[in-house]
Amino acid sequence: MKIAVTYDNGNIFQHFGKTENFKVYEVEDNQVVSSEVIGSNGTGHGALAGLLSEQGVDVLICGGIGGGAQAALAEAGVELCSGAEGDVDAAVEAYLNGTLTSAGATCDHHDHEEGHSCGGHCGSHEEEESSCGGSCGTCGGCGAPTPVMEGKNVGKTCRTHYRGTFNDGTQFDSSYDRGEPLEFICGVGQMIRGFDAAVAEMEVGEKVNIHLMPEEAYGMPDPNAIFTVAIAQLPGAEEVEVGQQVYLQNQYGQPFPVKVTAKDETNITFDANHEMAGKELNFEIELVEVK
């Protein structure tokens, strides 16, 4: 069996149609025996689906993907597991041990840091909230495109370059470094609120600098998003280690990343808070295009 993952510097690239690379894993007896990174040889859903088919890929793991791409993959006979994020190797491991399942149709926009938060105990527990993130750590979710704010750019497809830094000046993400603007529909909840609000009133060619408190970004850490589960309830949990990021699934079967914070012989504790929760963020934003 072959598994392909949209690939960007060790992480799952979040825009299937624009991925430049795939990491392809050869699997035997449910174990990875080899892997390689291949170029996409072009863009577009049909071309990429055809490429995967030619490579003999059986399963695709990716982040955001639209209905048209899903149809092309289905026609090519490639099984889809969407809505994933984070480390590519960890995602493949999660798929093989049965803890990564498909989110189905997901938002088709670009972002690399996913932001799911689970207020309940995921899998067999109730899920309180989950948001689908993207790259730059700015994606706040992907739901129906219903405007949640006002502004001349709200409801329009915007392309922006940005640079994100913490208060100490440390850069955590930059579209400039990737050489490709971020594309999203403004004001419909695809981005964190503070980023969305800034772009809503910008002019094409304008640059702004904004400072966001946690309430305008990823919120404060939620103690309810830290939960403990019996190891016996999670196949494969015996192999994970403290500090590792793994995937669980919520009650709807959607995968989301959690960090292992504690483990003993019988129980394992996960933290589903977004890694940016509680942080003040700074963005330099340049509006490149409005469609």
Side-chain angles (χ1 to χ4, degrees):
M1 179 175 70
K2 283 188 176 182
I3 301 174
V5 189
T6 50
Y7 183 83
D8 179 28
N9 195 30
N11 291 314
I12 298 171
F13 187 71
Q14 290 297 304
H15 193 313
F16 171 75
K18 294 186 178 180
T19 189
E20 296 181 356
N21 298 287
F22 293 97
K23 189 168 184 180
V24 180
Y25 299 78
E26 185 78 34
V27 177
E28 295 180 4
D29 297 325
N30 216 45
Q31 298 292 324
V32 174
V33 295
S34 65
S35 64
E36 64 173 335
V37 176
I38 65 171
S40 65
N41 296 327
T43 59
H45 301 149
L48 293 179
L51 170 66
L52 295 176
S53 179
E54 292 171 3
Q55 292 290 323
V57 169
D58 301 289
V59 179
L60 168 69
I61 298 174
C62 66
I65 186 169
Q70 294 185 57
L73 289 166
E75 184 176 350
V78 179
E79 177 187 337
L80 172 64
C81 189
S82 63
E85 64 175 8
D87 183 81
V88 291
D89 294 340
V92 170
E93 180 181 352
Y95 176 84
L96 292 175
N97 66 33
T99 59
L100 178 65
T101 57
S102 179
T106 60
C107 57
D108 195 12
H109 65 286
H110 175 50
D111 233 348
H112 75 233
E113 305 241 354
E114 140 107 40
H116 288 270
S117 61
C118 176
H121 300 176
C122 307
S124 60
H125 302 72
E126 292 187 0
E127 181 217 22
E128 211 171 271
E129 125 184 275
S130 70
S131 59
C132 172
S135 91
C136 81
T138 58
C139 179
C142 32
T146 301
V148 295
M149 62 180 63
E150 296 182 356
K152 60 185 177 184
N153 296 327
V154 170
K156 299 177 181 178
T157 298
C158 296
R159 302 181 76 230
T160 64
H161 266 307
Y162 66 88
R163 181 173 289 106
T165 58
F166 297 119
N167 284 344
D168 64 1
T170 302
Q171 177 178 298
F172 60 81
D173 195 19
S174 171
S175 67
Y176 291 104
D177 292 351
R178 288 193 299 275
E180 180 185 11
L182 168 67
E183 183 173 305
F184 61 97
I185 300 175
C186 182
V188 299
Q190 291 183 354
M191 310 300 291
I192 55 175
R193 185 170 183 84
F195 194 101
D196 241 351
V199 175
E201 295 293 349
M202 290 180 66
E203 300 283 349
V204 173
E206 183 181 0
K207 291 184 178 181
V208 300
N209 290 281
I210 60 173
H211 173 78
L212 303 182
M213 298 301 290
E215 293 77 12
E216 302 171 283
Y218 289 99
M220 298 301 294
D222 180 3
N224 292 321
I226 301 173
F227 55 95
T228 300
V229 179
I231 292 176
Q233 294 181 0
L234 292 175
E238 302 87 352
E239 307 299 324
V240 303
E241 301 177 355
V242 173
Q244 185 176 352
Q245 184 189 64
V246 298
Y247 286 86
L248 299 181
Q249 63 183 24
N250 62 29
Q251 65 188 40
Y252 305 108
Q254 297 172 322
F256 64 97
V258 294
K259 186 174 182 179
V260 180
T261 57
K263 183 182 180 183
D264 57 27
E265 294 182 356
T266 57
N267 297 310
I268 185 168
T269 300
F270 300 104
D271 186 350
N273 281 296
H274 193 280
E275 63 181 352
M276 297 283 197
K279 296 183 181 296
E280 297 180 27
L281 305 179
N282 303 288
F283 288 99
E284 173 190 330
I285 306 172
E286 176 185 359
L287 183 56
V288 176
E289 182 182 5
V290 176
K291 299 179 184 180

PDB file of all heavy atoms in Angstrom, residues 86-123:
ATOM      1  N   GLY A  86      -0.399  19.193  10.889  1.00  0.00           N
ATOM      2  CA  GLY A  86       0.751  18.908  11.732  1.00  0.00           C
ATOM      3  C   GLY A  86       1.784  18.045  11.028  1.00  0.00           C
ATOM      4  O   GLY A  86       1.921  18.052   9.803  1.00  0.00           O
ATOM      5  N   ASP A  87       2.539  17.290  11.804  1.00  0.00           N
ATOM      6  CA  ASP A  87       3.654  16.480  11.314  1.00  0.00           C
ATOM      7  C   ASP A  87       3.150  15.361  10.392  1.00  0.00           C
ATOM      8  O   ASP A  87       2.239  14.612  10.745  1.00  0.00           O
ATOM      9  CB  ASP A  87       4.408  15.891  12.503  1.00  0.00           C
ATOM     10  CG  ASP A  87       5.618  15.099  12.067  1.00  0.00           C
ATOM     11  OD1 ASP A  87       6.659  15.717  11.793  1.00  0.00           O
ATOM     12  OD2 ASP A  87       5.520  13.853  11.994  1.00  0.00           O
ATOM     13  N   VAL A  88       3.779  15.223   9.220  1.00  0.00           N
ATOM     14  CA  VAL A  88       3.318  14.234   8.252  1.00  0.00           C
ATOM     15  C   VAL A  88       3.539  12.811   8.744  1.00  0.00           C
ATOM     16  O   VAL A  88       2.686  11.930   8.564  1.00  0.00           O
ATOM     17  CB  VAL A  88       3.996  14.431   6.877  1.00  0.00           C
ATOM     18  CG1 VAL A  88       3.516  15.703   6.215  1.00  0.00           C
ATOM     19  CG2 VAL A  88       5.511  14.437   7.000  1.00  0.00           C
ATOM     20  N   ASP A  89       4.693  12.556   9.367  1.00  0.00           N
ATOM     21  CA  ASP A  89       4.979  11.203   9.855  1.00  0.00           C
ATOM     22  C   ASP A  89       3.990  10.785  10.939  1.00  0.00           C
ATOM     23  O   ASP A  89       3.527   9.639  10.977  1.00  0.00           O
ATOM     24  CB  ASP A  89       6.406  11.120  10.393  1.00  0.00           C
ATOM     25  CG  ASP A  89       7.462  11.313   9.310  1.00  0.00           C
ATOM     26  OD1 ASP A  89       7.132  11.142   8.119  1.00  0.00           O
ATOM     27  OD2 ASP A  89       8.611  11.634   9.643  1.00  0.00           O
ATOM     28  N   ALA A  90       3.650  11.739  11.813  1.00  0.00           N
ATOM     29  CA  ALA A  90       2.699  11.440  12.888  1.00  0.00           C
ATOM     30  C   ALA A  90       1.320  11.141  12.327  1.00  0.00           C
ATOM     31  O   ALA A  90       0.608  10.268  12.831  1.00  0.00           O
ATOM     32  CB  ALA A  90       2.629  12.613  13.866  1.00  0.00           C
ATOM     33  N   ALA A  91       0.948  11.851  11.254  1.00  0.00           N
ATOM     34  CA  ALA A  91      -0.366  11.620  10.647  1.00  0.00           C
ATOM     35  C   ALA A  91      -0.447  10.233  10.030  1.00  0.00           C
ATOM     36  O   ALA A  91      -1.463   9.539  10.150  1.00  0.00           O
ATOM     37  CB  ALA A  91      -0.654  12.691   9.595  1.00  0.00           C
ATOM     38  N   VAL A  92       0.619   9.812   9.356  1.00  0.00           N
ATOM     39  CA  VAL A  92       0.633   8.473   8.752  1.00  0.00           C
ATOM     40  C   VAL A  92       0.581   7.410   9.833  1.00  0.00           C
ATOM     41  O   VAL A  92      -0.146   6.412   9.724  1.00  0.00           O
ATOM     42  CB  VAL A  92       1.879   8.289   7.864  1.00  0.00           C
ATOM     43  CG1 VAL A  92       2.031   6.829   7.431  1.00  0.00           C
ATOM     44  CG2 VAL A  92       1.782   9.185   6.638  1.00  0.00           C
ATOM     45  N   GLU A  93       1.335   7.613  10.903  1.00  0.00           N
ATOM     46  CA  GLU A  93       1.300   6.674  12.017  1.00  0.00           C
ATOM     47  C   GLU A  93      -0.105   6.582  12.604  1.00  0.00           C
ATOM     48  O   GLU A  93      -0.606   5.487  12.910  1.00  0.00           O
ATOM     49  CB  GLU A  93       2.292   7.106  13.102  1.00  0.00           C
ATOM     50  CG  GLU A  93       2.329   6.173  14.300  1.00  0.00           C
ATOM     51  CD  GLU A  93       3.307   6.645  15.360  1.00  0.00           C
ATOM     52  OE1 GLU A  93       4.060   7.603  15.098  1.00  0.00           O
ATOM     53  OE2 GLU A  93       3.316   6.065  16.457  1.00  0.00           O
ATOM     54  N   ALA A  94      -0.761   7.743  12.733  1.00  0.00           N
ATOM     55  CA  ALA A  94      -2.118   7.753  13.274  1.00  0.00           C
ATOM     56  C   ALA A  94      -3.080   7.026  12.339  1.00  0.00           C
ATOM     57  O   ALA A  94      -3.980   6.311  12.783  1.00  0.00           O
ATOM     58  CB  ALA A  94      -2.581   9.186  13.496  1.00  0.00           C
ATOM     59  N   TYR A  95      -2.892   7.214  11.036  1.00  0.00           N
ATOM     60  CA  TYR A  95      -3.755   6.515  10.077  1.00  0.00           C
ATOM     61  C   TYR A  95      -3.584   5.003  10.203  1.00  0.00           C
ATOM     62  O   TYR A  95      -4.555   4.244  10.224  1.00  0.00           O
ATOM     63  CB  TYR A  95      -3.420   6.952   8.654  1.00  0.00           C
ATOM     64  CG  TYR A  95      -4.209   6.202   7.600  1.00  0.00           C
ATOM     65  CD1 TYR A  95      -5.490   6.602   7.247  1.00  0.00           C
ATOM     66  CD2 TYR A  95      -3.664   5.078   6.991  1.00  0.00           C
ATOM     67  CE1 TYR A  95      -6.216   5.903   6.301  1.00  0.00           C
ATOM     68  CE2 TYR A  95      -4.387   4.366   6.045  1.00  0.00           C
ATOM     69  CZ  TYR A  95      -5.660   4.786   5.707  1.00  0.00           C
ATOM     70  OH  TYR A  95      -6.375   4.076   4.777  1.00  0.00           O
ATOM     71  N   LEU A  96      -2.338   4.566  10.329  1.00  0.00           N
ATOM     72  CA  LEU A  96      -2.071   3.129  10.377  1.00  0.00           C
ATOM     73  C   LEU A  96      -2.570   2.491  11.664  1.00  0.00           C
ATOM     74  O   LEU A  96      -2.957   1.321  11.676  1.00  0.00           O
ATOM     75  CB  LEU A  96      -0.572   2.870  10.201  1.00  0.00           C
ATOM     76  CG  LEU A  96      -0.008   3.208   8.813  1.00  0.00           C
ATOM     77  CD1 LEU A  96       1.505   3.033   8.798  1.00  0.00           C
ATOM     78  CD2 LEU A  96      -0.660   2.337   7.736  1.00  0.00           C
ATOM     79  N   ASN A  97      -2.568   3.262  12.774  1.00  0.00           N
ATOM     80  CA  ASN A  97      -3.056   2.658  14.018  1.00  0.00           C
ATOM     81  C   ASN A  97      -4.542   2.925  14.262  1.00  0.00           C
ATOM     82  O   ASN A  97      -5.084   2.590  15.311  1.00  0.00           O
ATOM     83  CB  ASN A  97      -2.219   3.088  15.231  1.00  0.00           C
ATOM     84  CG  ASN A  97      -2.333   4.570  15.547  1.00  0.00           C
ATOM     85  OD1 ASN A  97      -3.372   5.182  15.353  1.00  0.00           O
ATOM     86  ND2 ASN A  97      -1.245   5.155  16.044  1.00  0.00           N
ATOM     87  N   GLY A  98      -5.194   3.544  13.245  1.00  0.00           N
ATOM     88  CA  GLY A  98      -6.641   3.676  13.305  1.00  0.00           C
ATOM     89  C   GLY A  98      -7.166   4.876  14.050  1.00  0.00           C
ATOM     90  O   GLY A  98      -8.368   4.970  14.300  1.00  0.00           O
ATOM     91  N   THR A  99      -6.302   5.838  14.401  1.00  0.00           N
ATOM     92  CA  THR A  99      -6.767   7.013  15.140  1.00  0.00           C
ATOM     93  C   THR A  99      -6.900   8.246  14.264  1.00  0.00           C
ATOM     94  O   THR A  99      -7.192   9.329  14.754  1.00  0.00           O
ATOM     95  CB  THR A  99      -5.827   7.335  16.319  1.00  0.00           C
ATOM     96  OG1 THR A  99      -4.508   7.582  15.812  1.00  0.00           O
ATOM     97  CG2 THR A  99      -5.781   6.181  17.302  1.00  0.00           C
ATOM     98  N   LEU A 100      -6.693   8.103  12.957  1.00  0.00           N
ATOM     99  CA  LEU A 100      -6.887   9.217  12.034  1.00  0.00           C
ATOM    100  C   LEU A 100      -7.970   8.832  11.052  1.00  0.00           C
ATOM    101  O   LEU A 100      -7.861   7.841  10.339  1.00  0.00           O
ATOM    102  CB  LEU A 100      -5.596   9.522  11.268  1.00  0.00           C
ATOM    103  CG  LEU A 100      -5.679  10.644  10.227  1.00  0.00           C
ATOM    104  CD1 LEU A 100      -5.959  11.974  10.898  1.00  0.00           C
ATOM    105  CD2 LEU A 100      -4.400  10.722   9.418  1.00  0.00           C
ATOM    106  N   THR A 101      -9.063   9.603  11.024  1.00  0.00           N
ATOM    107  CA  THR A 101     -10.159   9.330  10.096  1.00  0.00           C
ATOM    108  C   THR A 101     -10.470  10.585   9.317  1.00  0.00           C
ATOM    109  O   THR A 101     -10.097  11.681   9.696  1.00  0.00           O
ATOM    110  CB  THR A 101     -11.422   8.862  10.841  1.00  0.00           C
ATOM    111  OG1 THR A 101     -11.789   9.867  11.791  1.00  0.00           O
ATOM    112  CG2 THR A 101     -11.170   7.558  11.554  1.00  0.00           C
ATOM    113  N   SER A 102     -11.175  10.434   8.224  1.00  0.00           N
ATOM    114  CA  SER A 102     -11.399  11.556   7.326  1.00  0.00           C
ATOM    115  C   SER A 102     -12.438  12.525   7.856  1.00  0.00           C
ATOM    116  O   SER A 102     -13.451  12.129   8.414  1.00  0.00           O
ATOM    117  CB  SER A 102     -11.846  11.048   5.960  1.00  0.00           C
ATOM    118  OG  SER A 102     -12.082  12.140   5.095  1.00  0.00           O
ATOM    119  N   ALA A 103     -12.177  13.807   7.629  1.00  0.00           N
ATOM    120  CA  ALA A 103     -13.145  14.846   7.978  1.00  0.00           C
ATOM    121  C   ALA A 103     -14.125  15.079   6.845  1.00  0.00           C
ATOM    122  O   ALA A 103     -15.054  15.857   6.969  1.00  0.00           O
ATOM    123  CB  ALA A 103     -12.417  16.149   8.294  1.00  0.00           C
ATOM    124  N   GLY A 104     -13.926  14.414   5.718  1.00  0.00           N
ATOM    125  CA  GLY A 104     -14.808  14.616   4.574  1.00  0.00           C
ATOM    126  C   GLY A 104     -14.512  15.943   3.905  1.00  0.00           C
ATOM    127  O   GLY A 104     -13.381  16.380   3.858  1.00  0.00           O
ATOM    128  N   ALA A 105     -15.541  16.602   3.397  1.00  0.00           N
ATOM    129  CA  ALA A 105     -15.342  17.881   2.724  1.00  0.00           C
ATOM    130  C   ALA A 105     -14.867  18.918   3.721  1.00  0.00           C
ATOM    131  O   ALA A 105     -15.474  19.111   4.759  1.00  0.00           O
ATOM    132  CB  ALA A 105     -16.648  18.343   2.080  1.00  0.00           C
ATOM    133  N   THR A 106     -13.776  19.567   3.415  1.00  0.00           N
ATOM    134  CA  THR A 106     -13.235  20.582   4.312  1.00  0.00           C
ATOM    135  C   THR A 106     -12.992  21.855   3.529  1.00  0.00           C
ATOM    136  O   THR A 106     -13.077  21.872   2.318  1.00  0.00           O
ATOM    137  CB  THR A 106     -11.902  20.129   4.946  1.00  0.00           C
ATOM    138  OG1 THR A 106     -10.956  19.887   3.896  1.00  0.00           O
ATOM    139  CG2 THR A 106     -12.078  18.853   5.740  1.00  0.00           C
ATOM    140  N   CYS A 107     -12.661  22.928   4.240  1.00  0.00           N
ATOM    141  CA  CYS A 107     -12.449  24.194   3.567  1.00  0.00           C
ATOM    142  C   CYS A 107     -11.260  24.102   2.641  1.00  0.00           C
ATOM    143  O   CYS A 107     -10.299  23.422   2.922  1.00  0.00           O
ATOM    144  CB  CYS A 107     -12.215  25.299   4.588  1.00  0.00           C
ATOM    145  SG  CYS A 107     -10.838  24.992   5.696  1.00  0.00           S
ATOM    146  N   ASP A 108     -11.338  24.811   1.516  1.00  0.00           N
ATOM    147  CA  ASP A 108     -10.281  24.760   0.527  1.00  0.00           C
ATOM    148  C   ASP A 108      -9.493  26.064   0.571  1.00  0.00           C
ATOM    149  O   ASP A 108      -9.585  26.892  -0.299  1.00  0.00           O
ATOM    150  CB  ASP A 108     -10.890  24.554  -0.864  1.00  0.00           C
ATOM    151  CG  ASP A 108      -9.845  24.135  -1.869  1.00  0.00           C
ATOM    152  OD1 ASP A 108      -8.735  23.786  -1.454  1.00  0.00           O
ATOM    153  OD2 ASP A 108     -10.153  24.173  -3.071  1.00  0.00           O
ATOM    154  N   HIS A 109      -8.716  26.248   1.626  1.00  0.00           N
ATOM    155  CA  HIS A 109      -7.907  27.445   1.747  1.00  0.00           C
ATOM    156  C   HIS A 109      -6.584  27.092   2.386  1.00  0.00           C
ATOM    157  O   HIS A 109      -6.413  26.019   2.916  1.00  0.00           O
ATOM    158  CB  HIS A 109      -8.621  28.524   2.558  1.00  0.00           C
ATOM    159  CG  HIS A 109      -8.834  28.133   3.980  1.00  0.00           C
ATOM    160  ND1 HIS A 109      -9.784  27.201   4.354  1.00  0.00           N
ATOM    161  CD2 HIS A 109      -8.223  28.526   5.114  1.00  0.00           C
ATOM    162  CE1 HIS A 109      -9.746  27.054   5.669  1.00  0.00           C
ATOM    163  NE2 HIS A 109      -8.808  27.831   6.144  1.00  0.00           N
ATOM    164  N   HIS A 110      -5.637  28.026   2.331  1.00  0.00           N
ATOM    165  CA  HIS A 110      -4.269  27.732   2.721  1.00  0.00           C
ATOM    166  C   HIS A 110      -3.956  28.231   4.116  1.00  0.00           C
ATOM    167  O   HIS A 110      -4.244  29.329   4.455  1.00  0.00           O
ATOM    168  CB  HIS A 110      -3.335  28.404   1.713  1.00  0.00           C
ATOM    169  CG  HIS A 110      -1.901  28.270   2.067  1.00  0.00           C
ATOM    170  ND1 HIS A 110      -1.331  27.069   2.378  1.00  0.00           N
ATOM    171  CD2 HIS A 110      -0.928  29.191   2.152  1.00  0.00           C
ATOM    172  CE1 HIS A 110      -0.045  27.264   2.628  1.00  0.00           C
ATOM    173  NE2 HIS A 110       0.216  28.538   2.507  1.00  0.00           N
ATOM    174  N   ASP A 111      -3.342  27.392   4.916  1.00  0.00           N
ATOM    175  CA  ASP A 111      -2.896  27.687   6.268  1.00  0.00           C
ATOM    176  C   ASP A 111      -2.209  26.452   6.823  1.00  0.00           C
ATOM    177  O   ASP A 111      -2.650  25.376   6.548  1.00  0.00           O
ATOM    178  CB  ASP A 111      -4.061  28.045   7.177  1.00  0.00           C
ATOM    179  CG  ASP A 111      -3.823  29.359   7.856  1.00  0.00           C
ATOM    180  OD1 ASP A 111      -2.700  29.840   7.800  1.00  0.00           O
ATOM    181  OD2 ASP A 111      -4.752  29.900   8.461  1.00  0.00           O
ATOM    182  N   HIS A 112      -1.129  26.594   7.651  1.00  0.00           N
ATOM    183  CA  HIS A 112      -0.417  25.382   8.030  1.00  0.00           C
ATOM    184  C   HIS A 112      -0.528  24.961   9.461  1.00  0.00           C
ATOM    185  O   HIS A 112      -0.188  23.854   9.798  1.00  0.00           O
ATOM    186  CB  HIS A 112       1.063  25.463   7.644  1.00  0.00           C
ATOM    187  CG  HIS A 112       1.888  26.325   8.506  1.00  0.00           C
ATOM    188  ND1 HIS A 112       2.660  27.323   7.990  1.00  0.00           N
ATOM    189  CD2 HIS A 112       2.074  26.363   9.833  1.00  0.00           C
ATOM    190  CE1 HIS A 112       3.296  27.922   8.967  1.00  0.00           C
ATOM    191  NE2 HIS A 112       2.954  27.364  10.084  1.00  0.00           N
ATOM    192  N   GLU A 113      -0.951  25.798  10.344  1.00  0.00           N
ATOM    193  CA  GLU A 113      -1.060  25.395  11.727  1.00  0.00           C
ATOM    194  C   GLU A 113      -2.533  25.187  12.025  1.00  0.00           C
ATOM    195  O   GLU A 113      -3.293  26.092  11.951  1.00  0.00           O
ATOM    196  CB  GLU A 113      -0.526  26.480  12.625  1.00  0.00           C
ATOM    197  CG  GLU A 113       0.853  26.835  12.256  1.00  0.00           C
ATOM    198  CD  GLU A 113       1.751  26.570  13.405  1.00  0.00           C
ATOM    199  OE1 GLU A 113       1.278  26.234  14.458  1.00  0.00           O
ATOM    200  OE2 GLU A 113       2.923  26.683  13.214  1.00  0.00           O
ATOM    201  N   GLU A 114      -2.912  24.041  12.398  1.00  0.00           N
ATOM    202  CA  GLU A 114      -4.318  23.775  12.602  1.00  0.00           C
ATOM    203  C   GLU A 114      -4.734  24.151  13.990  1.00  0.00           C
ATOM    204  O   GLU A 114      -3.983  24.025  14.914  1.00  0.00           O
ATOM    205  CB  GLU A 114      -4.551  22.305  12.375  1.00  0.00           C
ATOM    206  CG  GLU A 114      -5.496  21.726  13.340  1.00  0.00           C
ATOM    207  CD  GLU A 114      -6.807  21.443  12.731  1.00  0.00           C
ATOM    208  OE1 GLU A 114      -6.871  21.001  11.653  1.00  0.00           O
ATOM    209  OE2 GLU A 114      -7.796  21.686  13.349  1.00  0.00           O
ATOM    210  N   GLY A 115      -5.975  24.533  14.142  1.00  0.00           N
ATOM    211  CA  GLY A 115      -6.440  24.911  15.446  1.00  0.00           C
ATOM    212  C   GLY A 115      -7.704  24.208  15.826  1.00  0.00           C
ATOM    213  O   GLY A 115      -8.750  24.770  15.721  1.00  0.00           O
ATOM    214  N   HIS A 116      -7.603  22.981  16.283  1.00  0.00           N
ATOM    215  CA  HIS A 116      -8.785  22.316  16.814  1.00  0.00           C
ATOM    216  C   HIS A 116      -8.724  22.405  18.326  1.00  0.00           C
ATOM    217  O   HIS A 116      -7.663  22.260  18.904  1.00  0.00           O
ATOM    218  CB  HIS A 116      -8.787  20.833  16.424  1.00  0.00           C
ATOM    219  CG  HIS A 116      -9.065  20.594  15.003  1.00  0.00           C
ATOM    220  ND1 HIS A 116     -10.325  20.405  14.501  1.00  0.00           N
ATOM    221  CD2 HIS A 116      -8.243  20.526  13.940  1.00  0.00           C
ATOM    222  CE1 HIS A 116     -10.255  20.195  13.217  1.00  0.00           C
ATOM    223  NE2 HIS A 116      -9.012  20.263  12.849  1.00  0.00           N
ATOM    224  N   SER A 117      -9.842  22.600  18.951  1.00  0.00           N
ATOM    225  CA  SER A 117      -9.858  22.500  20.400  1.00  0.00           C
ATOM    226  C   SER A 117     -11.019  21.620  20.810  1.00  0.00           C
ATOM    227  O   SER A 117     -12.118  21.768  20.303  1.00  0.00           O
ATOM    228  CB  SER A 117     -10.003  23.882  21.047  1.00  0.00           C
ATOM    229  OG  SER A 117     -11.203  24.493  20.661  1.00  0.00           O
ATOM    230  N   CYS A 118     -10.756  20.682  21.692  1.00  0.00           N
ATOM    231  CA  CYS A 118     -11.780  19.746  22.090  1.00  0.00           C
ATOM    232  C   CYS A 118     -12.159  20.007  23.532  1.00  0.00           C
ATOM    233  O   CYS A 118     -11.360  19.813  24.423  1.00  0.00           O
ATOM    234  CB  CYS A 118     -11.282  18.316  21.928  1.00  0.00           C
ATOM    235  SG  CYS A 118     -12.476  17.127  22.504  1.00  0.00           S
ATOM    236  N   GLY A 119     -13.364  20.497  23.747  1.00  0.00           N
ATOM    237  CA  GLY A 119     -13.779  20.800  25.103  1.00  0.00           C
ATOM    238  C   GLY A 119     -14.191  19.565  25.863  1.00  0.00           C
ATOM    239  O   GLY A 119     -14.165  19.545  27.082  1.00  0.00           O
ATOM    240  N   GLY A 120     -14.556  18.521  25.150  1.00  0.00           N
ATOM    241  CA  GLY A 120     -14.903  17.267  25.806  1.00  0.00           C
ATOM    242  C   GLY A 120     -13.806  16.266  25.605  1.00  0.00           C
ATOM    243  O   GLY A 120     -12.731  16.581  25.155  1.00  0.00           O
ATOM    244  N   HIS A 121     -14.084  15.033  25.965  1.00  0.00           N
ATOM    245  CA  HIS A 121     -13.081  14.002  25.829  1.00  0.00           C
ATOM    246  C   HIS A 121     -13.328  13.280  24.530  1.00  0.00           C
ATOM    247  O   HIS A 121     -14.255  12.512  24.411  1.00  0.00           O
ATOM    248  CB  HIS A 121     -13.142  13.054  27.023  1.00  0.00           C
ATOM    249  CG  HIS A 121     -12.905  13.780  28.308  1.00  0.00           C
ATOM    250  ND1 HIS A 121     -12.987  13.172  29.519  1.00  0.00           N
ATOM    251  CD2 HIS A 121     -12.597  15.066  28.567  1.00  0.00           C
ATOM    252  CE1 HIS A 121     -12.730  14.033  30.479  1.00  0.00           C
ATOM    253  NE2 HIS A 121     -12.505  15.201  29.916  1.00  0.00           N
ATOM    254  N   CYS A 122     -12.463  13.535  23.563  1.00  0.00           N
ATOM    255  CA  CYS A 122     -12.741  13.189  22.183  1.00  0.00           C
ATOM    256  C   CYS A 122     -12.802  11.694  21.952  1.00  0.00           C
ATOM    257  O   CYS A 122     -12.311  10.907  22.719  1.00  0.00           O
ATOM    258  CB  CYS A 122     -11.692  13.829  21.307  1.00  0.00           C
ATOM    259  SG  CYS A 122     -11.572  15.579  21.617  1.00  0.00           S
ATOM    260  N   GLY A 123     -13.393  11.340  20.805  1.00  0.00           N
ATOM    261  CA  GLY A 123     -13.585   9.939  20.482  1.00  0.00           C
ATOM    262  C   GLY A 123     -14.889   9.504  21.106  1.00  0.00           C
ATOM    263  O   GLY A 123     -15.960   9.793  20.607  1.00  0.00           O
TER     264      GLY A 123
END
